[in-house]
Amino acid sequence: MIGIATQTYDLDGARVFRKANRDIELRNRTGARRVSRTATLDGGCVISDMGFSDADRDFTVQEQAPSVEAVDFARYITETYSRVTVAAADGSYEAVPGSYEIDIDGNLIMKMLIVSRLSE
């Protein structure tokens, strides 16, 4: 289950995706450090580690057999708002609604680009 809401009051600006795909939700819990490795002439390497940031994460919201209202919400949020709040099992985040689509199987897929974590 994933919730999406606008950060300013909007009567039509909140929705809970109760039928969200659980496998996709688990994949949303991945992350990586900001690390690069450069080979050196002596056969070693130099590691540049800039730490971990939630801002490198993307969330996918996938709902099977979405209602017309769910698709309309996805379109409205993506076209109207530059920042939203996303609530998931592992916390809440500020995110940019990147895109939405209906795939070949009829699933609604929304991509959220995480900006920052709002909860611990």
Side-chain angles (χ1 to χ4, degrees):
M1 182 166 42
I2 294 177
I4 298 173
T6 60
Q7 294 180 333
T8 57
Y9 177 75
D10 183 337
L11 190 60
D12 298 320
R15 184 167 190 86
V16 175
F17 291 89
R18 297 185 193 284
K19 299 185 298 182
N21 186 312
R22 293 194 46 76
D23 292 336
I24 299 291
E25 283 189 62
L26 290 174
R27 280 188 243 148
N28 286 340
R29 296 185 191 192
T30 61
R33 295 182 69 81
R34 294 179 173 182
V35 177
S36 66
R37 178 177 56 197
T38 305
T40 58
L41 294 175
D42 65 358
C45 69
V46 174
I47 301 290
S48 177
D49 186 348
M50 302 300 170
F52 178 84
S53 175
D54 284 304
D56 295 331
R57 299 173 64 191
D58 295 337
F59 266 32
T60 300
V61 180
Q62 179 178 329
E63 186 164 88
Q64 299 170 344
S67 64
V68 172
E69 292 81 14
V71 176
D72 288 345
F73 174 81
R75 180 184 55 71
Y76 175 69
I77 290 298
T78 303
E79 292 177 357
T80 308
Y81 288 94
S82 61
R83 300 285 171 100
V84 295
T85 299
V86 176
D90 65 334
S92 60
Y93 302 88
E94 180 178 11
V96 174
S99 65
Y100 75 97
E101 68 175 311
I102 303 297
D103 71 6
I104 196 162
D105 296 323
N107 299 316
L108 171 63
I109 300 173
M110 294 181 70
K111 299 286 186 182
M112 297 289 169
L113 310 174
I114 301 301
V115 176
S116 64
R117 180 183 285 267
L118 299 174
S119 68
E120 290 301 318

